[in-house]
Amino acid sequence: MRVMAQVGMVMNLDKCIGCHTCSVTCKQTWTNRRGVEYVWFNNVETRPGVGYPRGYEDQEKWEGGWVRGRNGKLKLRAGGRLKKLAQIFSNPRLPGLDDYYEPWTYDYDNLINSPVIDTVPVARPKSMITGKDMKIRWSANWDDDLGGAPETAPKDPMLKGIEDQVSFEFQSAFMFYLPRICEHCLNPSCVASCPSGAMYKRSEDGIVLVDQDACRGWRMCVSGCPYKKVYFNHRSGKAEKCTLCYPRLEAGQPTVCAETCVGRLRYIGLFLYDADRVLEAASVPNEQDLYQAQLSVLLDPNDPAIIEQARHDGIAEDWIEAAQKSPVYKLAKEYKVALPLHPEYRTMPMVWYIPPLSPIVDALSRSGHDAEDHRNMFGAIDTLRIPLGYLANLMTAGDTTVIRDVLAKLAAMRSYMRDYNLGRDFDESIPESVGMDGESLYEMYRLLAVAKYEDRYVIPTAHKEIAARLDESLPGCSVDFEEMPGGPVSVVGETRVTPVAIESFHLTRERARADKQADLEKEM
């Protein structure tokens, strides 16, 4: 057993209102510059829909992620070293600008400086790539609020196999929002796809980053990522991706997207996991077993044996304590209501999602039934307006049993807490019906509904004693093995040292301390 720490995130889709605040603040912080005009490290998709880039989940087309070979070993869907070297100067599996969208601005100067005329002046859309007038035909949120659904939603890859359950007629249409960032996977295929070894997974916290000095712009990482969350900067010629705002995390602050989330739907914390079992878990034969296999890799931070091994493997004491208080561990492993996105890609994603439940309550209310009675809610789960099959295709490789169990727990929580809010005695048969006890169900409610800032974000700060490792760490991955690139030695034979600047850590830490001091002074 080799215990490692991984920063993870959970998003409660039942609370996302699709306001795109997270996208805008991330854009302003990380990609508001030349060369990445089309890039959104964080985007919010309306589902059903084809997403951003268009149809990114169609791995028959893009060949992202891993597949299990006949010998039981994992291999990149896009091929190994020889195939990559053969295509290194002409990568055929790249989304084009039409798949992302051609970014635009408007001719605001015409509005401001237009002379007095009989008609109202207009601001024509102009391409941010060519500077010429253009007609807007696609964007990163073209399907927003089902705006493009009649034309594009039927092409959603997640509808495969459940077409007969879905209708896009207004009366029976359904939708929910899906915020997406880089998954910072335990078994990242982007890292294994990089010929120059520029992509690496930090051993301290599991964040996947790109060494800009080592990147040669081959763009194999773009093809290898099944979530298409690696982008190419056409100005610098380098790959870029979500950094999970690691300078903020090192100072104990949440990511920008989480900090500014209007719905307070994001949770950040630590997982402890067994790095020696990641490859085994990612290689299970049945895709529907991948979720349980991933759960088995996550370790109990309260187990004395795990604590002792974590100390032996160099995990700091305050990081162990943070893992014990971690909201993401509770939601994913203890309560089992958070699910990974597309486990069938075998990348072991570490951004988890709680599926939406609201349509059950709405449908029951309209039909004249008591929408908060657990007996009615349990019976309505199989008749969701959002088909169970659709949610299962997103989060459990098509296993509707797991989705049904999660939704039953969320329904039980609502029904159980209704008695509390109405001053009644708790009905202990409700938590028992979903395999939980009353105390656990109540704690889950507090975490999902009324958790304070410090309960939603349990982020230990970086340590001075590991600053040298943060500053100069070898690229690597928790599941490096000889057959795949991405380890310390790359395809082209380079062994590179990857610098990660530590100055941002000190600056962010001082700013955080200044904010806390100002808050204390206000209280006094």
Side-chain angles (χ1 to χ4, degrees):
M1 178 188 296
R2 180 162 56 103
V3 180
M4 298 185 72
Q6 169 78 43
V7 177
M9 181 181 289
V10 169
M11 301 191 204
N12 185 356
L13 299 185
D14 220 18
K15 298 172 75 175
C16 183
I17 62 174
C19 65
H20 298 274
T21 303
C22 51
S23 300
V24 173
T25 51
C26 177
K27 182 73 174 176
Q28 291 297 321
T29 303
W30 292 104
T31 61
N32 188 21
R33 48 195 163 82
R34 296 292 300 276
V36 285
E37 294 92 342
Y38 74 98
V39 171
W40 296 83
F41 287 169
N42 182 110
N43 70 290
V44 181
E45 300 169 358
T46 296
R47 305 312 297 256
V50 293
Y52 161 81
R54 193 187 326 226
Y56 69 92
E57 292 159 306
D58 184 0
Q59 302 311 328
E60 293 182 4
K61 176 180 180 181
W62 303 117
E63 296 187 350
W66 304 88
V67 292
R68 189 176 186 269
R70 294 180 180 177
N71 59 0
K73 294 184 177 180
L74 290 187
K75 61 180 181 180
L76 291 169
R77 188 185 294 269
R81 290 185 178 185
L82 293 178
K83 186 174 181 180
K84 288 189 177 302
L85 287 172
Q87 299 176 346
I88 200 165
F89 294 109
S90 179
N91 186 349
R93 300 294 180 183
L94 286 175
L97 200 57
D98 289 340
D99 297 304
Y100 291 108
Y101 76 104
E102 186 171 359
W104 72 86
T105 185
Y106 294 95
D107 186 7
Y108 295 109
D109 185 65
N110 188 50
L111 290 180
I112 298 170
N113 299 318
S114 173
V116 177
I117 54 177
D118 294 334
T119 57
V120 178
V122 297
R124 296 182 182 275
K126 288 185 174 292
S127 169
M128 296 180 71
I129 304 298
T130 65
K132 299 179 180 179
D133 291 345
M134 62 174 285
K135 184 175 181 180
I136 301 171
R137 299 181 181 275
W138 186 253
S139 76
N141 62 335
W142 196 256
D143 295 328
D144 200 31
D145 294 333
L146 295 180
E151 180 180 348
T152 62
K155 301 175 185 177
D156 184 348
M158 294 302 99
L159 296 176
K160 186 176 181 180
I162 60 168
E163 293 89 348
D164 58 330
Q165 303 177 36
V166 178
S167 172
F168 291 100
E169 297 295 327
F170 177 78
Q171 293 83 354
S172 55
F174 69 90
M175 58 168 278
F176 63 94
Y177 301 109
L178 180 70
R180 292 203 308 119
I181 63 171
C182 169
E183 298 289 328
H184 296 278
C185 307
L186 293 183
N187 183 25
S189 53
C190 58
V191 171
S193 299
C194 178
S196 56
M199 299 279 295
Y200 65 101
K201 184 174 178 64
R202 294 208 312 189
S203 60
E204 293 81 13
D205 50 22
I207 297 175
V208 177
L209 298 172
V210 184
D211 175 8
Q212 295 288 294
D213 291 331
C215 180
R216 298 291 178 264
W218 301 121
R219 286 173 276 186
M220 295 295 177
C221 53
V222 179
S223 303
C225 174
Y227 305 96
K228 291 297 172 280
K229 278 298 178 180
V230 184
Y231 305 92
F232 183 69
N233 185 322
H234 61 83
R235 188 173 178 86
S236 67
K238 307 287 186 179
E240 296 190 19
K241 62 177 294 296
C242 161
T243 66
L244 206 62
C245 294
Y246 73 87
R248 293 176 59 89
L249 294 183
E250 289 169 3
Q253 295 181 307
T255 61
V256 169
C257 60
E259 182 82 81
T260 59
C261 176
V262 174
R264 299 182 179 181
L265 60 98
R266 302 187 186 224
Y267 301 80
I268 300 176
L270 281 184
F271 291 103
L272 297 182
Y273 70 98
D274 184 359
D276 289 338
R277 293 195 57 244
V278 170
L279 183 58
E280 173 192 344
S283 305
V284 296
N286 189 346
E287 289 183 345
Q288 293 188 353
D289 293 334
L290 284 164
Y291 164 62
Q292 293 296 340
Q294 185 169 349
L295 279 184
S296 70
V297 171
L298 305 180
L299 303 174
D300 182 358
N302 297 296
D303 186 330
I306 301 299
I307 294 173
E308 185 63 30
Q309 185 63 41
R311 290 169 178 161
H312 178 269
D313 291 332
I315 307 295
E317 202 68 34
D318 58 332
W319 280 54
I320 296 175
E321 293 175 4
Q324 294 170 345
K325 300 175 183 176
S326 172
V328 296
Y329 175 81
K330 292 177 182 177
L331 293 170
K333 186 68 181 281
E334 287 188 16
Y335 306 141
K336 292 184 174 63
V337 292
L339 304 169
L341 187 67
H342 291 302
E344 69 273 17
Y345 297 160
R346 299 181 184 269
T347 60
M348 296 287 175
M350 295 309 289
V351 176
W352 301 62
Y353 293 88
I354 299 174
L357 180 66
S358 295
I360 293 182
V361 178
D362 296 340
L364 288 172
S365 298
R366 284 194 298 270
S367 63
H369 294 85
D370 185 348
E372 300 292 346
D373 188 294
H374 70 283
R375 291 163 296 188
N376 292 334
M377 295 180 80
F378 289 170
I381 285 176
D382 288 321
T383 57
L384 265 172
R385 191 165 187 175
I386 302 177
L388 289 182
Y390 189 88
L391 295 173
N393 285 345
L394 273 176
M395 302 176 191
T396 58
D399 187 354
T400 56
T401 303
V402 175
I403 294 291
R404 187 180 292 107
D405 290 344
V406 171
L407 295 180
K409 288 180 181 179
L410 297 175
M413 179 189 71
R414 291 190 179 191
S415 185
Y416 187 70
M417 292 308 301
R418 183 201 189 195
D419 291 335
Y420 172 81
N421 292 327
L422 294 178
R424 302 172 184 168
D425 292 334
F426 283 123
D427 182 356
E428 296 301 331
S429 67
I430 297 176
E432 289 175 4
S433 66
V434 292
M436 298 179 70
D437 56 68
E439 183 179 356
S440 297
L441 204 60
Y442 180 72
E443 289 302 318
M444 187 173 80
Y445 158 76
R446 289 188 58 82
L447 185 56
L448 291 178
V450 295
K452 296 181 179 179
Y453 186 92
E454 58 269 20
D455 297 323
R456 289 184 285 119
Y457 309 129
V458 181
I459 307 167
T461 57
H463 280 249
K464 290 183 179 179
E465 60 267 24
I466 65 169
R469 280 193 290 160
L470 285 172
D471 201 36
E472 290 186 349
S473 58
L474 282 174
C477 172
S478 58
V479 291
D480 285 335
F481 46 98
E482 291 181 359
E483 291 83 357
M484 294 298 157
V489 181
S490 71
V491 174
V492 292
E494 294 180 297
T495 302
R496 300 190 61 86
V497 174
T498 306
V500 178
I502 200 63
E503 290 84 356
S504 58
F505 161 68
H506 294 294
L507 291 172
T508 310
R509 183 181 61 176
E510 292 304 318
R511 184 165 63 249
R513 287 177 174 174
D515 291 342
K516 291 178 181 178
Q517 184 61 34
D519 292 339
L520 289 174
E521 291 175 357
K522 287 180 180 179
E523 292 178 2
M524 296 175 62

